[in-house]
Amino acid sequence: MKRKSAAGLYLLLIVFAAFSMVYYIAGAVALREEFFHASLYAREPFDFHDDGKSIDDLRKEATVTGLSNGDLLLAVNGIPFTGSDQIHNLLGHAKPGERMRVSARTPSGEVREVQVRLAPREGPDWPLGGLIAFLAPVLGVPLLGLLIGYWVVAARPRDLNAWLVLVLLAFPETAYGNLDWSFWPSPWYLVLGVWYFLVQSFVFPALLWFGFLFPERWRIDRRLPWFKYAILITTCGVFAFELGFSAERYFFAGAIRSLARLQFWTHRVASWLYLICMLLFLAAVFDKLRSASTADARRRMRVLAIGSGLSLGPLVLIFAVAPWFGIDPHHGTWFETIIPILALFPLTLAYVLIVQRAMDVRILLRMGTKYLFARATLLVVQIAIVAFLILRFIFPMMQRKEHQWLNFILLAICIGLLMQVFILRDSLSQRVQRWLDRKFFREAYNSEVVLSELANQVRQVTDRSDLIDTVLRRISEVLHVPQVAMLLRGNQVFHLQQALGMDFGGPVVFAEQSATVQNLMRTNQPATVYRDRPEDWIADADAEETALLRRINAELLLPMPGRAHLMGLIALGPKKSEEPYTPTDLRILQSVAAQTGLNLEVAELVRTLADESAQRERMNREIEIAREVQQRLFPQSLPQIKNVSLAGMCRPALEVGGDYYDLVELEDGHLGFAIGDVSGKGISAALIMASLRASLRGLILDDPGDLARMMQKVNRLVYEASSSSRYATFFFAVYNPDSRELRYVNAGHNPPVLVRETSGEMVRLEACGPVVGMLPVVDYEARCLALEPGDLLIAYTDGISEAMTAEDEEWGEERMLEAAGRQHGGSAAEVLEEIFRAADAFTAGAEQHDDMTLLIMKL
């Protein structure tokens, strides 16, 4: 039933959009003709009084024929006059210079017939800048309103408030977005005229209804629920009468005089009706600012009041108040100045209706100020600088013929300055943003700084209890959230580990298959819990889970991802201020939760490897456990990539080692291909290897697009997680099976070898930067090459190529490649087995001096 009703509402939206867009397009075409081709059309030689037949407002071409204001039009071109539609159709086919025979009766009763020579229309004689300044808001603001209105209804088709907003946002196109109907052909002239009267008549009742119902019913409406229906019924009557009067004016002008009295009272009723609607809307808005039942409703009303005041207030002041002080708003640039401000009104309506939790005005002001000054203003300044340099220096240089070498040098300097301006734009923008935050938004800035520092700090905390306590207390203190809890993964459940400010009165356990956990695992994004506007995943929760969410009073859930599964989640209650979590809050909290999850995983490994026993048997057992854990860090199953054969193996020299390889199937179907070698051997190297792997997994699952930037982050993480004497060589690549493109970055690792089947050529994927973990900041270069069917990629650590006999003779890369060549036609697993077999045969049982890791990809 819901799907059927939604389909009907979407069909209604399509019909509304069709009529409104046809009206908008017709108006845009009319403006084009009026502004650029007016001389091709004949203008109306006169207008009419309200009675529809008495001539008024004569043009020069009609005055010279002897016609006067007040003459009664009898016939046009020998045809009895019936209404304005007759003149409209005649002028639609006439050209300037043609003559129109007019028969009219003067007030004294004399009937005269004259020939009126039609004059061309006169378009505005404005410069190009004036035309743009006028047409941009006249066309842009109505279109913006319509598009936002469509989007609001499409997002909430069953919400009556959304439809009311759509009607309100359709008003600008009928108010000033279409200035002249005389360019329209007859069929559209009639259809779109009805649309005009429909929108103009019902926009004020829509405003009243919106004020009564959004975001909650006005208390006066609860006492007098019939009043808004009375206004609506009265509007329907006024619309019917107005439409009838217009039809008589255009088609049956002779009948208007008999209805003149009724028309007068209809206009009076309409004027009072529209005034009542506006006043009651304002009364409802300002009363709800004081009496709203929830903080969210008050914030919405505050944003609506301020946004409406900033957008509609100047319009009212200029066009309603200014004339009382002798200011004529129809002369000058008032229209071009005020109308663009109206663009804020549809944005305000869309925001207060669509968002789950409205932000306070000061937060919106902060976000807007940051963008305006730190983004838009800097861009305008840069464009101005570039334009000045081009006009002042580059163009004159290009025109000179003398001193060619000097001109070339100066031109190169100008181009370099331009490049420098745009290179520094992002860093300068960030500095301006930080300055604005420190200067005007100190509390929010401090919160961001503290949370960002916390995201970096949790990487260095290895004790799980200290880590959990630090994260929960710092989040609670910085964001003023009194209720914070952390749940960790157990045996198929997530159970409460620690909580602040909460007394649950019973166990808090989420099953792994619950809607809450499944949503966090699927999206790996923060989830808001707003029960008045629930998201889809909340609708999938059963009654017990919904009751549990209500009991813990969670408003925000943060996932803590681990290596291969969700490590836990953080539940945050509402802020003390009852304000929603801002996008900046969500972004930084997600970073904190992600680092916490990774460090919980690393902490588990560290704790497992760090436990020592005085007894050798227990130590051996602990090392054996560490070996098993490390083996689990390697791929347990190989990704299934079309037309690709994969194989990998690591043989540590001791129980645990510092070599690392990984094969990850990314979300877009690409293959992540990694191999690394940590300096040293044993437990210390294994710990760094685990940290490297956890960091890499978190980065490539987030966004593996920019490999060079990702490697910079890996370098930073390894640098902070290890001592100055520790580092790692690392190679990472992403293979696209559709295009066979291999993108890679090599951080000081042994160059993997690509053996071409067709030519036998051996391509070495040389280093693109230094090893990771040695320096805090390093630049890397990402490279790419195309693979072909039959190509064989061999990635290895130096434990393979430097395998030694008992006499310290090295096996060498050349022998390794010869061994691979003997199985070039085989699968990746066969190539891997042949290389290890050949290495073992060469060393003849000699002690293994280093970890041996091999990773093979065969197309």
Side-chain angles (χ1 to χ4, degrees):
M1 289 294 292
K2 287 184 177 181
R3 284 194 294 268
K4 291 181 179 179
S5 63
L9 293 173
Y10 281 122
L11 180 61
L12 180 60
L13 174 60
I14 292 173
V15 173
F16 190 102
F19 275 98
S20 57
M21 287 307 299
V22 168
Y23 187 96
Y24 175 83
I25 293 171
V29 172
L31 285 172
R32 182 196 65 184
E33 297 301 305
E34 181 176 4
F35 278 67
F36 302 104
H37 306 124
S39 61
L40 301 178
Y41 296 87
R43 71 179 180 182
E44 295 180 353
F46 44 73
D47 206 343
F48 298 96
H49 281 293
D50 291 338
D51 61 8
K53 297 191 70 174
S54 299
I55 296 175
D56 187 23
D57 191 19
L58 276 79
R59 312 300 192 269
K60 181 179 180 180
E61 61 271 20
T63 303
V64 297
T65 65
L67 293 176
S68 301
N69 288 333
D71 290 351
L72 190 65
L73 186 62
L74 300 178
V76 178
N77 288 343
I79 302 174
F81 178 69
T82 57
S84 299
D85 181 67
Q86 186 177 357
I87 304 295
H88 178 269
N89 290 332
L90 188 149
L91 293 177
H93 298 87
K95 299 296 182 183
E98 295 182 0
R99 295 185 179 274
M100 182 175 69
R101 287 188 296 115
V102 174
S103 178
R105 184 171 60 237
T106 65
S108 63
E110 178 187 357
V111 177
R112 67 177 64 177
E113 185 171 319
V114 297
Q115 296 276 347
V116 179
R117 184 182 180 87
L118 298 176
R121 296 176 63 96
E122 297 179 359
D125 186 18
W126 294 348
L128 180 61
L131 288 174
I132 295 176
F134 180 83
L135 292 177
V138 166
L139 294 176
V141 174
L143 181 60
L144 175 66
L146 288 176
L147 295 179
I148 291 179
Y150 302 154
W151 172 65
V152 168
V153 174
R156 297 185 177 277
R158 297 188 184 90
D159 191 342
L160 176 60
N161 287 316
W163 289 94
L164 296 174
V165 165
L166 177 59
V167 175
L168 294 175
L169 296 184
F171 177 71
E173 69 162 347
T174 60
Y176 60 83
N178 199 326
L179 303 181
D180 197 335
W181 296 6
S182 59
F183 291 99
W184 298 356
S186 289
W188 294 115
Y189 179 72
L190 302 177
V191 174
L192 298 182
V194 174
W195 177 258
Y196 167 84
F197 280 109
L198 187 65
V199 175
Q200 286 281 315
S201 299
F202 286 94
V203 67
F204 290 99
L207 184 68
L208 175 94
W209 277 59
F210 186 74
F212 278 21
L213 300 179
F214 178 82
E216 56 190 13
R217 288 184 66 184
W218 190 24
R219 54 180 179 168
I220 304 299
D221 181 52
R222 295 181 185 275
R223 298 176 187 173
L224 304 173
W226 53 267
F227 183 79
K228 60 180 180 291
Y229 293 101
I231 292 290
L232 183 61
I233 294 173
T234 306
T235 302
C236 292
V238 170
F239 168 72
F241 280 116
E242 290 285 355
L243 191 61
F245 296 146
S246 298
E248 289 180 344
R249 178 183 178 87
Y250 292 116
F251 303 105
F252 312 104
I256 291 181
R257 292 191 175 186
S258 61
L259 300 175
R261 191 64 179 173
L262 179 60
Q263 185 177 13
F264 170 78
W265 282 107
T266 301
H267 288 332
R268 293 289 297 272
V269 170
S271 300
W272 279 103
L273 181 69
Y274 300 155
L275 179 60
I276 291 172
C277 289
M278 293 181 63
L279 293 178
L280 288 178
F281 168 77
L282 295 175
V285 169
F286 286 104
D287 185 60
K288 288 181 184 179
L289 283 173
R290 180 182 58 85
S291 61
S293 61
T294 64
D296 180 61
R298 281 192 296 274
R299 286 194 297 269
R300 292 180 193 275
M301 297 310 299
R302 192 178 298 120
V303 173
L304 178 61
I306 294 178
S308 301
L310 292 177
S311 57
L312 302 181
L315 194 69
V316 175
L317 290 175
I318 296 301
F319 291 95
V321 178
W324 290 89
F325 295 92
I327 300 175
D328 185 1
H330 299 91
H331 293 82
T333 59
W334 295 108
F335 185 82
E336 296 86 340
T337 304
I338 296 300
I339 293 302
I341 304 176
L342 284 178
L344 182 61
F345 186 62
L347 297 174
T348 301
L349 290 178
Y351 176 79
V352 298
L353 189 62
I354 291 298
V355 295
Q356 287 185 316
R357 280 292 184 270
M359 298 181 189
D360 192 73
V361 174
R362 60 186 179 84
I363 299 178
L364 294 176
L365 179 63
R366 177 191 180 221
M367 297 170 63
T369 304
K370 287 178 64 176
Y371 177 81
L372 178 63
F373 287 96
R375 295 289 184 186
T377 302
L378 285 179
L379 182 60
V380 171
V381 171
Q382 290 166 359
I383 292 175
I385 294 174
V386 170
F388 173 77
L389 291 176
I390 290 176
L391 296 175
R392 183 67 180 83
F393 297 105
I394 295 181
F395 280 173
M397 290 177 189
M398 295 174 65
Q399 296 173 357
R400 292 176 186 166
K401 296 183 178 179
E402 65 276 6
H403 307 298
Q404 293 290 331
W405 282 104
L406 179 60
N407 291 338
F408 177 78
I409 294 174
L410 294 176
L411 181 62
I413 294 174
C414 290
I415 294 175
L417 291 175
L418 295 181
M419 295 178 62
Q420 188 68 18
V421 167
F422 281 94
I423 290 173
L424 296 177
R425 184 168 73 91
D426 287 339
S427 62
L428 183 60
S429 173
Q430 293 175 0
R431 292 177 186 174
V432 174
Q433 286 185 19
R434 288 194 295 268
W435 180 84
L436 285 170
D437 282 344
R438 289 195 301 267
K439 190 70 175 177
F440 301 103
F441 310 104
R442 170 65 65 177
E443 182 179 356
Y445 173 75
N446 291 339
S447 299
E448 292 180 18
V449 170
V450 173
L451 289 177
S452 299
E453 292 175 350
L454 177 61
N456 295 324
Q457 179 184 354
V458 295
R459 298 196 193 106
Q460 304 172 4
V461 181
T462 57
D463 183 79
R464 190 175 75 166
S465 299
D466 292 343
L467 176 64
I468 295 173
D469 185 71
T470 300
V471 170
L472 295 186
R473 292 191 180 279
R474 192 63 63 87
I475 291 176
S476 177
E477 294 169 357
V478 172
L479 295 180
H480 307 291
V481 181
Q483 298 176 322
V484 188
M486 182 179 293
L487 291 84
L488 297 183
R489 173 184 288 273
N491 185 17
Q492 301 298 316
V493 295
F494 287 79
H495 57 85
L496 180 65
Q497 180 67 27
Q498 186 172 333
L500 297 178
M502 296 184 179
D503 184 11
F504 300 114
V508 177
V509 177
F510 285 96
E512 187 173 351
Q513 299 303 318
S514 64
T516 300
V517 174
Q518 289 298 312
N519 174 67
L520 295 176
M521 294 174 63
R522 181 178 65 256
T523 64
N524 198 30
Q525 297 291 326
T528 54
V529 186
Y530 297 136
R531 279 167 284 278
D532 54 343
R533 292 190 176 189
E535 297 183 359
D536 293 338
W537 66 269
I538 297 181
D540 297 333
D542 56 28
E544 182 178 354
E545 184 179 353
T546 304
L548 181 57
L549 288 171
R550 189 180 300 108
R551 183 156 58 92
I552 67 176
N553 197 27
E555 190 168 292
L556 180 66
L557 301 174
L558 301 171
M560 296 190 298
R563 173 177 56 91
H565 53 251
L566 191 67
M567 295 294 297
L569 59 97
I570 302 176
L572 283 72
K575 295 182 179 180
K576 289 182 179 179
S577 62
E578 299 185 4
E579 293 178 352
Y581 291 91
T582 67
T584 302
D585 293 338
L586 298 180
R587 175 176 54 82
I588 301 179
L589 287 172
Q590 183 180 9
S591 176
V592 172
Q595 292 296 338
T596 303
L598 293 174
N599 270 61
L600 284 173
E601 186 178 44
V602 173
E604 290 181 359
L605 179 62
V606 170
R607 187 177 65 252
T608 302
L609 297 178
D611 288 342
E612 295 180 358
S613 174
Q615 300 177 4
R616 188 171 184 81
E617 293 179 356
R618 182 178 177 183
M619 181 181 295
N620 292 338
R621 177 55 184 162
E622 293 294 335
I623 294 177
E624 182 62 24
I625 292 175
R627 178 183 177 87
E628 293 174 2
V629 171
Q630 188 180 46
Q631 288 299 317
R632 293 294 299 175
L633 295 179
F634 295 119
Q636 301 303 299
S637 61
L638 299 179
Q640 300 299 316
I641 307 297
K642 63 179 182 179
N643 302 324
V644 175
S645 173
L646 300 169
M649 180 177 175
C650 176
R651 182 194 292 172
L654 304 176
E655 286 77 5
V656 292
D659 278 10
Y660 161 68
Y661 77 92
D662 206 354
L663 293 166
V664 183
E665 184 175 2
L666 305 177
E667 292 183 355
D668 53 6
H670 294 182
L671 173 67
F673 186 97
I675 188 170
D677 184 1
V678 179
S679 62
K681 296 183 289 293
I683 294 177
S684 60
L687 291 175
I688 298 177
M689 183 274 280
S691 178
L692 173 64
R693 184 197 182 282
S695 302
L696 177 67
R697 278 284 179 138
L699 292 172
I700 65 175
L701 292 178
D702 182 30
D703 182 15
D706 190 345
L707 300 185
R709 184 173 177 81
M710 185 200 72
M711 190 62 73
Q712 290 176 344
K713 294 180 180 180
V714 169
N715 173 75
R716 184 68 181 181
L717 293 173
V718 175
Y719 177 83
E720 293 176 353
S722 60
S723 63
S724 59
S725 62
R726 293 293 184 180
Y727 62 91
T729 65
F730 189 64
F731 173 86
F732 180 76
V734 174
Y735 174 67
N736 184 343
D738 296 326
S739 62
R740 295 199 185 98
E741 180 186 63
L742 183 74
R743 295 182 296 114
Y744 68 93
V745 59
N746 188 341
H749 194 73
N750 300 80
V753 181
L754 176 66
V755 183
R756 303 283 191 183
E757 182 182 50
T758 55
S759 61
E761 177 187 8
M762 295 185 182
V763 180
R764 286 173 170 79
L765 310 186
E766 300 290 348
C768 314
V771 297
V772 297
M774 183 70 73
L775 300 172
V777 179
V778 178
D779 291 329
Y780 295 92
E781 175 189 1
R783 301 174 182 174
C784 67
L785 73 163
L787 304 187
E788 301 171 359
D791 285 356
L792 176 67
L793 180 62
I794 305 172
Y796 61 97
T797 61
D798 53 13
I800 290 283
S801 59
E802 296 174 2
M804 295 184 185
T805 63
E807 293 74 28
D808 292 339
E809 179 184 1
E810 286 190 1
W811 188 37
E813 183 186 89
E814 184 176 351
R815 291 190 178 97
M816 179 190 70
L817 296 177
E818 289 177 358
R822 292 193 290 271
Q823 284 291 341
H824 193 281
S827 65
E830 292 172 340
V831 174
L832 184 141
E833 292 175 0
E834 178 60 23
I835 292 177
F836 268 99
R837 186 200 62 77
D840 293 339
F842 177 81
T843 57
E847 181 182 358
Q848 182 178 334
H849 295 281
D850 198 359
D851 304 330
M852 301 173 66
T853 303
L854 191 61
L855 192 56
I856 306 293
M857 182 174 75
K858 174 72 180 297
L859 270 64

